[in-house]
């Protein structure tokens, strides 16, 4: 049974950092790309970042501030978020595609985690 479990969210001041984790089970992470999305209240789900074996993708809004990485031995994907801004406040989700390719289209992703809340506020 495929499962994705996010953790690491919380309340942080502007300029602060958080590291999100996406723990995968029920499949071998090595063979699949994983994406991070976020959804703020009243807004559509937005693609933030994605990682495959050969590429990484970042939305323009987070480029230079967020870093995605993966530890295949731990079956876990991380999203290091630095220089956080109030507009980064959202529920963050990780999701799995059907193969080892990245996509910005949320409808391409088959499995989703339950999400973790990130709040950036002073």
């Amino acid at each position: 049974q495929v499962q994705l479990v996010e953790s690491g969210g919380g309340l942080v001041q502007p300029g602060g950092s958080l590291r999100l984790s996406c723990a995968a089970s029920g499949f071998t992470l090595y063979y699949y790309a994983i994406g991070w999305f976020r959804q703020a209240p009243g807004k559509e789900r937005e693609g933030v970042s994605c990682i495959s074996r050969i590429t990484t993708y970042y939305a323009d809004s987070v480029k230079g501030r967020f870093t995605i990485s993966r530890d295949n031995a731990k079956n876990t994907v991380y999203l290091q978020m630095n220089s956080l801004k109030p507009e980064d406040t959202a529920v963050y989700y990780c999701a799995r595609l059907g193969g080892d390719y990245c996509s910005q289209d949320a409808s391409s992703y088959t499995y989703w985690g339950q999400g973790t809340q990130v709040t950036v506020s002073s």
Side-chain angles (χ1 to χ4, degrees):
Q1 181 181 1
V2 173
Q3 279 194 315
L4 299 168
V5 179
E6 303 94 337
S7 62
L11 173 64
V12 63
Q13 292 187 341
S17 298
L18 284 173
R19 188 177 79 156
L20 304 184
S21 299
C22 173
S25 61
F27 67 98
T28 302
L29 182 64
Y30 177 81
Y31 297 109
Y32 296 92
I34 298 292
W36 282 98
F37 289 78
R38 65 187 181 187
Q39 189 164 21
K43 294 189 176 181
E44 292 188 356
R45 193 166 292 192
E46 172 192 17
V48 174
S49 185
C50 179
I51 186 167
S52 69
R53 287 203 297 272
I54 60 171
T55 191
T56 57
Y57 158 81
Y58 297 96
D60 287 343
S61 58
V62 306
K63 208 170 288 185
R65 300 188 297 123
F66 290 11
T67 303
I68 193 170
S69 62
R70 60 198 288 167
D71 186 334
N72 291 326
K74 294 183 178 180
N75 241 34
T76 301
V77 173
Y78 303 98
L79 186 68
Q80 177 67 44
M81 306 187 298
N82 299 328
S83 302
L84 283 162
K85 305 175 181 180
E87 50 263 44
D88 294 318
T89 295
V91 177
Y92 283 70
Y93 301 89
C94 63
R96 200 203 83 176
L97 285 147
D100 189 42
Y101 57 91
C102 276
S103 172
Q104 303 171 47
D105 181 2
S107 66
S108 300
Y109 291 77
T110 309
Y111 297 96
W112 292 81
Q114 82 290 348
T116 185
Q117 176 70 48
V118 172
T119 303
V120 185
S121 175
S122 54

